[in-house]
Amino acid sequence: MVLWTLITGFFWNRTLRLVRLISNKIIYHKKGNPVENITKIISEFKISTDLGISRLNAVICSNNGLILQVSNKNQLLRDYFKTGRNILLKQDLDVLLNDNISADNHLHLVSEQLHKMDVTLVVPILDENKKITHFYITSKEMSNELFSCEEIMGLQRLFERANRFINTEEKVRKSQVLAGSIAHEIRNPLSKIKYHFEKIDSDFLSAHKKSINSLATIEIEKIHQELSEGKKALQLGTQFIDVILDELRGSSISTSFFQHYSAASLTSQALNDFSLYSEEHKKRIHLETTNDFYFYGSDTLFSFVLFNLLKNAAYYFDSFPESHITIQFENNKIHVRDTGPGITEEQLENLFDEFYSFGKISGNGLGLAYCQKVMESFSGSISCHSILGEFTEFTLTFPAINIQSNGELTNPRIKQHLSGQSCLILSTPRLSKKLTENFNGLNMDIECSNDPYLSFTRLKDHPFNFIVIDHRLYITHYDQINMLREGKYGHLAQITPIFIFNSTSINLNNDRVSVSKHAQGYIDTLNGALAFECSLEAIINDAKFAPLGNLNDKTVLVVDDMHANRLLVKAYLSKEGVNVIQAASGYEAIEQVKKNNIDLIFMDIHMPGMNGIDTAKQIKKIDNTKPIIALSGEYGEQIASDIHEIMDDYIVKPIDKSSLVSLTSKWLIINKVMD
């Protein structure tokens, strides 16, 4: 007996499990009993309600189990549970009604509703205040099969624990919808602001520059500069709205619009756009642009990452008066180091977790987590090293980009676009020879000269598709270039695109204000084959190789129910010589297509009455050759699918002039050249 007692004491837990397993197999034909199997599903509810319900339906053999939020549509069910009932079984209710003919009419109505919904079981789900927020409604796969007492007990226990996950997920979803709605609605006033910026620029500033004295002109230039900064800030804000909307929709970061960028160039631009409290703060940020490299990604997302790192470091500028920020480049890496308070090892472990924040009252803990997501979309990484009380250094690591070393351009799009083109290179013989070698393999007609005046006088009889000029010659012969643009060397010369290349290590970004008046773009000849290709690709994307005024006499239809959006498109395109026709609805757009010879259509997606997708379908039936570009305030998966199926391209609102003109040129000029 002592021996048996010891054996039982050691193995009672295993014996009990074995007995329960055998019993469940005999009684339920399963490993566990219904209560155990149902309550185990709580782990799925921790991940998501949809996953939990899907698993639950499989366990209880339900064909239509789902969660319903309490609303006026299910008022009868809500009233039923007000009396303190904790479960609703249709078979019990039917028995009660059959035994009691004079039963409350409300019960008859509840029974009818269950019959219409094909539901046999309703379980109320409560919040922390014991208020019903949702119902779980279901029925068995076999219509004559009933729920067992164990299943009902398991469901009640499950939802007593899962209710907090269900209600929390619902609150998060509502917050996401609200935030998304706010971000989406902000687009309309931003479009109106952009339109008024353009009106101020074109109707007031540009018109008055030449008609007032030099002192006033300086003041106008200052206003114009401030206006330009406002436009840049507005555009940056709209780009970040796109990031917010994508994140709220749970969309993975799309790589379809990634391009090659210079890390130093984007960083310089981001520093110019970054807002600091004072000029003194700005002086404490040091950028070293040596060891620049190119990466494949998004300029907007890169700016988002850099802004977060700068914002976190600059937060401590006041409390650490001697602190400063240094940004350096090294072997496809960007090091952002600040000499602020530093970070403890414990904080470093959780630094990139969502909702983790420390040290800042207003922090929400989302910034660095999203930065990590962005860097992973670039196929790179972000890491942090810190010593408490000394420094914190974030390292952005980008994958290396391999480029052929034979000097021949490999981008097929560049080859397709420039093959057969004629080019005038203005530079010293040595640099002209080097640039000619860069264009190797493009089948181009290239002529070189170091005398802009002599070459310009010959342009009337011997025109070129475009001109490439050394930065130093551009500065020293600016008067001749100005005369060329005024038409002194003939109309063909006047509309010929001019591109500047950097013959020395001078940073053209710092001189763009002074040299960009008559030039259409910049060609990088100093930073390797990839930089050269990227600069050419950017020019092609912006349709800058086309002759100036190439959109003159083109007719574009813009369809949008928002008046400000239509005016903004018109303001941008009218400056390029485009005839813009407006339509406020899909029906009006169809009539305009029938009446006018239209070259291109910009179509809003969300419009009252006939939406943009249906309107595009009708227009394609009338004339399938007209390119239709979607004007979309959002770009979710379903909208993207519809756009790709019906339309030819898209642009996200609120639009900027560069993107709009580039897209217009792409469909009216570039695609025809490619064809």
Side-chain angles (χ1 to χ4, degrees):
M1 186 175 292
V2 171
L3 181 62
W4 180 252
T5 302
L6 289 173
I7 293 173
T8 304
F10 278 117
F11 298 104
W12 72 270
N13 196 24
R14 295 183 181 180
T15 305
L16 178 61
R17 285 203 302 269
L18 181 61
V19 170
R20 292 175 65 180
L21 179 63
I22 296 173
S23 301
N24 289 331
K25 281 284 187 180
I26 295 173
I27 300 173
Y28 303 108
H29 307 290
K30 296 179 180 179
K31 285 186 177 181
N33 63 59
V35 175
E36 292 174 344
N37 292 336
I38 291 173
T39 52
K40 284 179 183 177
I41 302 172
I42 188 67
S43 57
E44 275 82 1
F45 277 95
K46 291 178 181 179
I47 300 172
S48 80
T49 299
D50 289 340
L51 181 62
I53 292 299
S54 176
R55 176 67 181 144
L56 176 61
N57 290 340
V59 169
I60 65 176
C61 299
S62 168
N63 60 357
N64 61 352
L66 55 88
I67 295 285
L68 283 182
Q69 190 176 4
V70 170
S71 66
N72 293 330
K73 292 182 179 179
N74 45 52
Q75 181 66 39
L76 287 171
L77 297 180
R78 184 166 52 179
D79 292 341
Y80 176 86
F81 289 104
K82 281 183 178 179
T83 57
R85 301 180 177 98
N86 55 13
I87 199 78
L88 172 55
L89 276 170
K90 188 175 186 302
Q91 59 264 36
D92 289 350
L93 183 60
D94 290 342
V95 170
L96 176 63
L97 292 175
N98 290 332
D99 293 343
N100 187 0
I101 301 175
S102 61
D104 186 356
N105 184 55
H106 176 261
L107 297 180
H108 287 281
L109 295 175
V110 171
S111 179
E112 290 176 6
Q113 184 173 9
L114 294 180
H115 180 74
K116 290 179 181 178
M117 298 167 64
D118 191 24
V119 169
T120 58
L121 173 67
V122 180
V123 181
I125 300 172
L126 313 178
D127 62 10
E128 64 274 9
N129 298 320
K130 304 301 179 183
K131 180 181 177 182
I132 298 176
T133 58
H134 300 81
F135 297 111
Y136 173 68
I137 62 173
T138 186
S139 61
K140 287 285 190 178
E141 290 179 354
M142 303 294 293
S143 58
N144 59 347
E145 190 176 356
L146 302 179
F147 286 95
S148 67
C149 292
E150 289 92 343
E151 287 176 325
I152 294 173
M153 185 182 301
L155 287 170
Q156 289 177 316
R157 290 185 181 180
L158 173 66
F159 287 115
E160 283 174 2
R161 298 173 59 193
N163 62 348
R164 64 182 185 275
F165 302 117
I166 296 171
N167 285 306
T168 299
E169 185 175 304
E170 181 68 21
K171 290 177 181 177
V172 170
R173 187 189 65 80
K174 287 180 177 178
S175 298
Q176 289 178 331
V177 170
L178 178 61
S181 177
I182 292 172
H184 182 69
E185 290 303 321
I186 286 175
R187 293 179 181 278
N188 290 329
L190 289 182
S191 294
K192 198 167 185 179
I193 293 172
K194 291 184 75 171
Y195 167 70
H196 288 300
F197 275 179
E198 289 301 319
K199 291 290 288 181
I200 293 171
D201 193 2
S202 61
D203 295 352
F204 178 71
L205 297 182
S206 299
H208 287 73
K209 279 182 181 178
K210 296 181 180 179
S211 61
I212 51 182
N213 59 58
S214 58
L215 181 61
T217 301
I218 294 173
E219 296 300 318
I220 290 295
E221 287 291 347
K222 289 181 180 178
I223 297 175
H224 189 274
Q225 182 63 30
E226 294 297 326
L227 190 64
S228 298
E229 292 299 319
K231 289 181 183 179
K232 286 166 56 178
L234 192 61
Q235 183 61 28
L236 190 63
T238 58
Q239 290 172 341
F240 284 144
I241 287 176
D242 295 337
V243 171
I244 293 170
L245 290 174
D246 284 341
E247 185 67 9
L248 290 174
R249 286 191 291 262
S251 305
S252 58
I253 295 176
S254 173
T255 62
S256 58
F257 297 99
F258 281 14
Q259 297 181 27
H260 289 102
Y261 293 99
S262 159
S265 177
L266 280 190
T267 303
S268 298
Q269 181 180 327
L271 286 177
N272 289 333
D273 294 338
F274 184 63
S275 298
L276 287 160
Y277 293 111
S278 66
E279 283 298 318
E280 289 299 319
H281 281 187
K282 204 161 193 173
K283 292 177 182 177
R284 290 161 67 176
I285 302 178
H286 310 290
L287 172 64
E288 299 178 14
T289 56
T290 54
N291 302 317
D292 186 23
F293 62 89
Y294 275 72
F295 71 92
Y296 187 70
S298 161
D299 54 346
T300 300
L301 294 175
F302 176 83
S303 297
F304 181 91
V305 172
L306 201 60
F307 282 5
N308 266 276
L309 300 183
L310 292 174
K311 180 184 66 175
N312 290 339
Y315 179 85
Y316 298 101
F317 272 179
D318 290 334
S319 52
F320 289 80
E322 301 301 320
S323 65
H324 59 272
I325 302 171
T326 303
I327 303 175
Q328 295 176 312
F329 305 91
E330 177 198 12
N331 298 329
N332 286 61
K333 293 182 179 180
I334 300 178
H335 301 282
V336 182
R337 172 185 282 232
D338 72 84
T339 55
I343 304 173
T344 66
E345 291 186 8
E346 181 183 357
Q347 292 165 345
L348 280 173
E349 292 178 2
N350 305 297
L351 198 60
F352 297 102
D353 294 342
E354 290 187 350
F355 304 110
Y356 178 76
S357 180
F358 68 92
K360 299 193 294 293
I361 298 174
S362 58
N364 54 34
L366 288 175
L368 289 177
Y370 192 76
C371 289
Q372 186 177 53
K373 186 176 179 181
V374 168
M375 290 304 300
E376 289 172 354
S377 75
F378 294 169
S379 299
S381 63
I382 179 173
S383 60
C384 181
H385 174 60
S386 181
I387 296 179
L388 192 64
E390 294 187 21
F391 71 89
T392 298
E393 180 174 295
F394 285 90
T395 300
L396 307 178
T397 303
F398 299 82
I401 299 176
N402 296 321
I403 280 291
Q404 293 184 358
S405 58
N406 58 12
E408 183 173 336
L409 290 170
T410 58
N411 190 316
R413 189 159 180 261
I414 296 176
K415 288 185 176 182
Q416 186 181 15
H417 195 85
L418 294 183
S419 178
Q421 297 280 304
S422 60
C423 169
L424 170 63
I425 297 177
L426 298 173
S427 184
T428 63
R430 180 181 64 83
L431 292 173
S432 294
K433 180 181 178 182
K434 181 180 177 182
L435 190 55
T436 301
E437 291 173 353
N438 287 337
F439 283 110
N440 183 30
L442 290 179
N443 189 31
M444 291 177 57
D445 178 17
I446 298 177
E447 182 175 310
C448 302
S449 171
N450 61 358
D451 188 342
Y453 173 75
L454 182 62
S455 298
F456 289 169
T457 56
R458 297 177 56 236
L459 287 177
K460 185 180 295 186
D461 301 318
H462 184 51
F464 292 89
N465 291 112
F466 60 92
I467 299 170
V468 180
I469 184 170
D470 180 1
H471 173 262
R472 291 174 297 185
L473 284 182
Y474 186 95
I475 298 297
T476 57
H477 292 77
Y478 184 80
D479 291 340
Q480 280 80 30
I481 294 171
N482 193 49
M483 292 170 61
L484 180 144
R485 282 291 178 253
E486 291 177 350
K488 302 295 176 61
Y489 298 107
H491 176 68
L492 291 178
Q494 186 180 17
I495 63 174
T496 302
I498 297 175
F499 303 98
I500 303 170
F501 74 93
N502 44 345
S503 58
T504 64
S505 59
I506 184 171
N507 184 1
L508 289 180
N509 289 322
N510 297 331
D511 293 308
R512 289 191 176 184
V513 175
S514 61
V515 302
S516 63
K517 183 177 180 181
H518 297 311
Q520 280 59 63
Y522 302 84
I523 298 177
D524 191 337
T525 60
L526 293 180
N527 296 305
L530 177 60
F532 181 69
E533 284 199 20
C534 289
S535 59
L536 292 181
E537 187 176 12
I539 293 171
I540 293 173
N541 290 338
D542 291 338
K544 296 299 185 181
F545 278 120
L548 276 64
N550 62 85
L551 295 177
N552 282 342
D553 301 325
K554 301 293 183 181
T555 300
V556 170
L557 171 65
V558 54
V559 188
D560 199 310
D561 60 315
M562 293 295 295
H563 188 226
N565 291 336
R566 300 198 305 272
L567 290 178
L568 185 61
V569 174
K570 183 176 181 179
Y572 285 152
L573 293 182
S574 295
K575 289 183 178 180
E576 304 298 319
V578 177
N579 176 33
V580 179
I581 299 174
Q582 300 181 49
S585 68
Y587 303 105
E588 188 179 342
I590 293 172
E591 291 302 315
Q592 293 289 0
V593 169
K594 292 177 179 178
K595 291 190 302 183
N596 298 283
N597 183 20
I598 294 169
D599 299 297
L600 177 68
I601 300 170
F602 285 99
M603 180 76 66
D604 184 24
I605 298 298
H606 298 293
M607 294 185 294
M610 185 184 295
N611 64 36
I613 300 295
D614 293 336
T615 305
K617 290 179 181 178
Q618 295 299 319
I619 292 175
K620 288 291 185 180
K621 290 179 181 179
I622 299 171
D623 186 348
N624 194 39
T625 64
K626 296 187 189 301
I628 302 178
I629 299 174
L631 284 171
S632 176
E634 56 179 308
Y635 199 63
E637 291 183 5
Q638 185 57 50
I639 293 177
S641 176
D642 292 340
I643 288 174
H644 287 305
E645 182 180 351
I646 305 300
M647 303 189 187
D648 301 283
D649 212 329
Y650 87 101
I651 185 171
V652 176
K653 296 188 293 186
I655 58 176
D656 64 278
K657 182 179 180 181
S658 176
S659 300
L660 182 70
V661 174
S662 296
L663 206 55
T664 305
S665 298
K666 170 186 173 182
W667 284 100
L668 296 184
I669 305 297
I670 298 178
N671 285 357
K672 292 184 179 181
V673 171
M674 295 298 187
D675 293 339

